[in-house]
Amino acid sequence: MTAHSTKKHGSLLVKDARTQRRNNAELRFRAYGLTAVIVGILALIVLLVSIFSNGISAFQQTKLMITLELPEAKLDQKGQRDLDVMKKVTTIGYSKVLGNGLIDQLDRLGIATDLKDKDVREILSKESAATLRDVVLADPSLIGTTVTMEFLVNGRIDGYFKGRVDRASAELDKNVKPGQLDIADALTEHGLMYTQFNLDFILAPDASDQRPEAAGLGVAILGSIYMMLVVLFVALPVGVAASIYLEEFAPKNRLTDVIEVNISNLAAVPSIVYGILGLAIFINMAQFNQSSPLVGGLVLTLMTLPRIIIPARAALKSVPPSIRDAALGVGASRMQTVFHHVLPLAAPGILTGVIIGLGQALGETAPLLLIGMVAFVREYPAAFTADAGLFGEASTALPVQVFNWTQRADPAFVERASGAIIVLLVFLLIMNALAIFLRRRYERRW
């Protein structure tokens, strides 16, 4: 009897040591993968909780209702209601009128305070005087009458109602006094000071360092929209055309191999490099207006092109060769085959890549900082003109606005920055949801 015939064979129903080790290794690998997923989810939850806990209050704003007189002696001494003359009264003059109106209102309500008149006036935002001035200049007939209007309170009082400021911190803060918090509580009891939804945070332009309560995202959102339009109308046709040529018409030789390798490499280049390229080409060489949405859009186009070409080529490649063969077999030209049969079938994948590319471009900050899109824009620009809007000299964007606000000292701007991140995340979520919808709605399976 040979040695081979005497060798014992294990049963298939009994796990030997080798099988047990292999099964244990598989279980460990699954445990590692599950742990990685859980850690990633927890990190995402911590990030979202941090952003929302700090930023959701930016969508609320504290305001004060004041009934005050608009004295003709201070706002229009000549009484002619001439706008050119009335505009000579600065916000300082309106600030005194507004402050006196607040002090008179406290006296009418019987709210006593030991604060100086100057400290009482500081309860209101510095933006309030400009608001009152704009209202009076828009309707000069209000002068000489008594009006009731709501005004922004300063950032510290607003922070008190949001839990960011308390009496202990007020004792150490030179920008707010405990007596001002007492007045705020008394006005709240009378229903004159309240916190409500802050639509101006989304629609209003930015404000100075001294007026965080008046800062908004309106101009930044408009600048981002302008840039996304440039990216869409430049990157989409160029990227899709390049994809069609490389995938359907380009000969397979060393030159096209070099082009394909470089496209793949460009997709991995840090975004700040595109900012340097845009600074050199569009600003230094082409002499475009610095900080304009056109330059920002072109820089983001350069960055987005490889990220559109690669998924577009993958979508074209996923169309079965039988589609091409059938079209060519019935007499269609190469061009007709591509544009009448292949491209419509690849369109969902191409659109998905375009939308994801736009979403990535929307959140980029570094290239925009390099081309100077950090301007403080106080007013909405005009539409498409030579010196404003799309081609203007000064603009900003959502991610740059977040960066700017985080550099300011007032804690209220940190709240504003977190709120802006929420708005940016909403835009990105909408764009990614649209990409998923298009892919699932029009995707073909073979």
Side-chain angles (χ1 to χ4, degrees), residues 354-378:
V354 169
I355 294 173
I356 292 177
L358 289 175
Q360 292 175 333
L362 180 64
E364 287 294 341
T365 307
L368 302 182
L369 295 177
L370 278 181
I371 62 172
M373 291 196 70
V374 292
F376 172 73
V377 185
R378 184 64 185 90

Side-chain angles (χ1 to χ4, degrees), residues 354-409:
V354 169
I355 294 173
I356 292 177
L358 289 175
Q360 292 175 333
L362 180 64
E364 287 294 341
T365 307
L368 302 182
L369 295 177
L370 278 181
I371 62 172
M373 291 196 70
V374 292
F376 172 73
V377 185
R378 184 64 185 90
E379 302 292 339
Y380 271 96
F384 301 89
T385 61
D387 58 352
L390 184 63
F391 306 97
E393 295 182 354
S395 183
T396 186
L398 275 173
V400 178
Q401 191 68 72
V402 173
F403 174 80
N404 284 340
W405 282 346
T406 56
Q407 304 304 303
R408 299 183 185 178

